[in-house]
Amino acid sequence: MVSLGLGAVLALAALGSAPDGETKPAPLVSKDKAELKLATPASAVPIESRPYRIRAWLAIDPRARVDLRGREALVAGWKRMVARFVGAPWELEIAEGDGPLATNSLDGISPELVESESKGFDKSWLFRLEPHSDGLVFSGREFDAATGRIGLLCSETATIVADGPRALLQLGLSVFAPSAEIAESSSGNQKIRVQGAMLPAANSIGEVVSVGSVFRPTRIFYKADGKGIQLVTPIKKTYLRVESLQGGVANCAIISALGNPFTTKVVGKAKMVAVGLKPASIPTRLRFMLSVADGPAIPGTKPEPRPAAGYDVVAVPIPDGLPRPVGTTDREGRIVLEPGFSAGLVSLRLMAAGIEPLIQFPIMPGEQAEENLITNVDPKPATVTVESELNSLRDEIVDLIAVRHRLYAKIKSRGEAETPNWPEVKQLLEDFKTLPPSANYEGRLKRLEESLANQQKASNRRVVLTRTAKKLIEDTQALIDRYLDDEDFNSFGRAVADYEKQTRAGNAVSKSLPKAPAFPAAGSAATTEAGSGVTLAPPGSGFRAVMPGPPAEQNSMTPDGASEIRSFRFTDTANNTYLVEYWDYPVALTPELVTRVIDTERDRQGAAFPSSTLTRELPVSIDSQAGKEIEWETTAAGTPPSGFVCRIVTVGSRVFVIGFGGAKASLKGKPALDFLNSFHVIGRGNSPSPATAPASSAAATPKASEPQKSAPAATPKARPKPNSNANPF
């Protein structure tokens, strides 16, 4: 029996002062502790400040070998644990004897067996102690006086009797279900007044209610004479989840599969209450049955519902968990979810083809021991068929997006390079034109949408155009609009067209411009011996240089394919390379273009050494022609550093490159400097600057009787680059 002193203190704290300032009378305590009553009725105390009056029975199996003294020690320790961790919210009385468990098992307990011995109490606990392979096991169930229902069976284990009080406390917390009254509703939420919520708990684990607590709304129907409960009906597929607390009032989100779970249109006298709910450590058993309309159509027979066999079940923890598959229904439409598949309230979905949720409802794991039967499940065959086609269409679009992305990356790298390769960009754009256009997919999507809409019109009862189907259509259209837009490719197409237009215009201008003066031949042979070296002076080249030995000649094209490059290369026994190259720019070079052409040639030379580093770039002058001297360094693992130094100069429209490559230490050695300094422009005397070279050549041939016509200056425009900010993927 609980201490009378503690009960009196709690009673006085609950009573306080009367509204008119008079002190309420002290509680009257009867001599029989089992019939403890207060002078003020419990109904006069607000439910939020009303503690739970709990009567408990503890039946001990003789095989547990706990004698009377051990029982007293166990009960005393249990009371101390309750006072330490729960405190004011519970007024626990531990009755003598086994009570209803004297002649009944926990599985066989019915409300009628407990109700007569629970008058004056809010809750009744029936606990049993039995031996276990690990020591002792404590099992129990709760009887709720307000609803007349008995809760699920819970259990806790203890290794020795000394651990029993802690196991009993945990068992009490497990079976305890707080009670609440339904208050007003607002903005889709429901407020409830929770019994004992205003009473401070001794520890957080003893709090009656907290954010995240779940309640099951229940209707209590009373008899016509008002003298008893006729029926207790929990509202199906409906729960209240506490989102905030203000005093003893909890603001709850309504989580329900019903449209209006709190309707007042009921027959008879009824009251709405809410009972706390927690996950139980028992399997959750479900069975799904398809609607009768989908039964076998056999002439002369009545269609029967078929099991929903082979459907996936997905669990989504409430309020914001991620979907997770938890199993598949068997041939009978059944599925068993083991304890612990979810730590709290969860939304279950029965999925067709992993796409369309056929039915969705909230459930608390293990809330009932018997099988939960869900009937009239619509398989939505037409919807699932179209959604499968939509998913197939989406897969095709995603594959196309990947191909377009790779193609665009190639086009962008070549079109936005320092020296754009427009011919290759043009070829890549031709490859792009062979891909399926976005209009094809838009047409297929439109036809699928129209198919769903037509089937919906033809069906009066079934929902064919579901929210999932609508969302899938919207997402597919958004995928087409965002990633199948051709503007990025079209911008490069316009850039290629501009390049070709400029090339045609440049060719036309170059034909009308006066040619640069011909370089006189320096002998009939391309090379002549000169002391210890070879003098290189190819006819018409316009330069002279001395190499250590006879070079090899090679011809190639510039990256844009507009000019031919003539190269003369010699490699000595020390693996040093001597190089002279020249090529003609398609149009005459203006002063503004000279620097650009030299920089472009510098980049072309550097591209031949992909792992090199530019270490030096200085202006130089060769025979009064301005140019640059550039040096690169290359370092490879396991080899000594090497490098390449070259001088670049333009004369008229001709570009010259003189280069030496070898070990890093040899770049400033005598052979390199002798070779670089041996290069000279020949055949022009004091060569004019690039700006005046074309004019002087034009003045060399005009007739005296004809006025000279000046050619328009040709200044190629910078080649346009497409928008580099576009990202197709």
Side-chain angles (χ1 to χ4, degrees), residues 40-329:
T40 302
S43 59
V45 181
I47 187 173
E48 306 96 300
S49 302
R50 193 185 309 161
Y52 292 88
R53 293 167 295 173
I54 304 171
R55 166 172 278 184
W57 288 276
L58 177 60
I60 301 178
D61 191 312
R63 294 174 299 169
R65 296 185 179 181
V66 178
D67 58 12
L68 182 59
R69 181 176 296 180
R71 184 184 191 280
E72 291 176 353
L74 192 60
V75 169
W78 183 14
K79 290 180 180 179
R80 287 194 298 270
M81 297 294 288
V82 170
R84 178 181 174 185
F85 291 99
V86 180
W90 288 0
E91 287 185 358
L92 178 62
E93 174 192 296
I94 303 173
E96 297 291 342
D98 295 347
L101 293 178
T103 56
N104 300 276
S105 65
L106 282 171
D107 292 332
I109 287 293
S110 63
E112 294 77 16
L113 294 173
V114 187
E115 186 175 10
S116 60
E117 299 190 48
S118 301
K119 294 188 181 298
F121 292 90
D122 300 307
K123 308 281 186 181
S124 292
W125 291 348
L126 300 101
F127 289 178
R128 181 181 294 279
L129 170 59
E130 295 174 317
H132 189 262
S133 59
D134 295 332
L136 301 172
V137 60
F138 294 85
S139 305
R141 302 180 73 178
E142 178 182 83
F143 170 76
D144 181 69
T147 60
R149 296 176 66 87
I150 292 183
L152 295 174
L153 180 65
C154 300
S155 63
E156 295 289 336
T157 59
T159 306
I160 57 177
V161 177
D163 293 335
R166 187 176 299 274
L168 284 168
L169 171 67
Q170 187 59 52
L171 182 60
L173 292 171
S174 298
V175 301
F176 173 70
S179 302
E181 293 180 354
I182 301 295
E184 70 276 8
S185 60
S186 61
S187 302
N189 285 7
Q190 181 69 53
K191 293 183 178 181
I192 60 175
R193 299 170 60 202
V194 183
Q195 182 176 346
M198 290 291 290
L199 298 177
N203 189 280
S204 59
I205 66 172
E207 291 179 350
V208 173
V209 61
S210 60
V211 174
S213 297
V214 177
F215 288 80
R216 181 73 175 269
T218 303
R219 281 194 179 90
I220 302 176
F221 292 88
Y222 295 97
K223 295 179 180 179
D225 57 6
K227 294 183 180 181
I229 297 175
Q230 181 179 8
L231 181 65
V232 177
T233 306
I235 301 178
K236 295 182 179 180
K237 301 177 183 177
T238 301
Y239 303 86
L240 299 175
R241 185 179 185 277
V242 177
E243 293 188 332
S244 62
L245 287 167
Q246 187 174 6
V249 179
N251 187 39
C252 304
I254 302 174
I255 300 169
S256 178
L258 307 180
N260 183 18
F262 294 99
T263 178
T264 57
K265 297 179 180 180
V266 294
V267 179
K269 184 179 181 181
K271 179 182 179 181
M272 185 84 72
V273 298
V275 181
L277 200 60
K278 303 171 187 175
S281 56
I282 60 174
T284 301
R285 305 178 186 277
L286 304 166
R287 189 183 189 193
F288 299 91
M289 301 295 292
L290 299 177
S291 59
V292 175
D294 293 287
I298 302 176
T301 63
K302 182 180 179 181
E304 295 182 357
R306 294 181 294 114
Y311 289 88
D312 294 331
V313 178
V314 174
V316 185
I318 295 174
D320 53 4
L322 297 176
R324 180 176 63 90
V326 292
T328 304
T329 58

